[in-house]
Amino acid sequence: MSDSNDEVAVISTAKGEMVVAFWPETAPDTVANFKKLANDSYYDGTCFHRIIKGFMIQGGDPLTKDPGEEHRWGTGGPGYMIDAEFSDRPHVKGVLSMARSSDPNSAGSQFFICLANCKPLDNQYTCFGELISGEEVLEALGEVACAGSERSRPVDRQDVFSISIVSRADAGVE
């Protein structure tokens, strides 16, 4: 068993794997919630349903497991909300943060990874980790063709096969 500060998330996607390190000292409740959901296989079979080039990729909606629910993608969650944990950490490329509605305390399961520096999000969204491996996968996801009203829905499904919580050693990162 690994020390919880030694744990990382391995996000397995159709484009490859990304590894994210957590910031439990910055957002302890958010980190614990994400790990719990990942350990419960909550994210397995979802997809990145919202991609805005040069801004972020968003996933974590359980409704994305069902293509028939596409009209509702972006509205799903675990049935509860967690409180925001704002910090002085900046939203820069590779930062993992919680998606939410206009209510700061409305995050549940949806998350995003920044594709660039996103200063307007600082102290407005709960950032709780950072990409430590798989930048080429993040880049590839950030460049997929998108359509829809805000040109953010990937034309082709961008699968998240699984999100696993493992030790840094097991993920092959230091």
Side-chain angles (χ1 to χ4, degrees):
M1 191 73 168
S2 63
D3 177 302
S4 69
N5 286 335
D6 179 54
E7 291 176 330
V8 296
V10 177
I11 304 171
S12 298
T13 77
K15 300 269 190 253
E17 287 187 349
M18 295 182 283
V19 179
V20 177
F22 296 110
W23 297 334
E25 70 288 351
T26 299
D29 295 338
T30 304
V31 169
N33 180 64
F34 187 90
K35 286 181 176 182
K36 177 196 175 307
L37 293 172
N39 284 329
D40 290 345
S41 302
Y42 182 89
Y43 295 116
D44 299 2
T46 62
C47 72
F48 286 107
H49 65 277
R50 187 170 182 232
I51 297 174
I52 301 176
K53 289 184 190 317
F55 180 47
M56 60 88 202
I57 64 171
Q58 182 174 332
D61 183 343
L63 297 176
T64 64
K65 293 178 182 184
D66 182 355
E69 291 292 322
E70 185 172 1
H71 65 286
R72 296 180 53 212
W73 290 3
T75 65
Y80 60 83
M81 292 180 246
I82 59 174
D83 289 341
E85 295 177 288
F86 299 144
S87 71
D88 291 335
R89 288 199 185 250
H91 280 78
V92 295
K93 184 176 183 177
V95 162
L96 175 67
S97 193
M98 289 302 288
R100 61 171 176 79
S101 71
S102 58
D103 177 353
N105 297 317
S106 63
S109 61
Q110 292 190 47
F111 63 90
F112 62 91
I113 304 172
C114 297
L115 291 167
N117 296 348
C118 305
K119 192 162 182 50
L121 303 182
D122 293 353
N123 294 303
Q124 302 295 316
Y125 289 79
T126 301
C127 54
F128 64 102
E130 66 185 328
L131 186 73
I132 59 170
S133 178
E135 186 172 341
E136 69 287 352
V137 176
L138 179 63
E139 295 278 340
L141 286 164
E143 291 299 320
V144 300
C146 292
S149 60
E150 63 173 18
R151 298 192 198 302
S152 65
R153 180 65 43 92
V155 173
D156 297 316
R157 183 178 174 86
Q158 300 302 312
D159 287 306
V160 174
F161 300 128
S162 65
I163 298 181
S164 303
I165 307 300
V166 300
S167 71
R168 284 177 177 264
D170 288 344
V173 295
E174 290 301 316

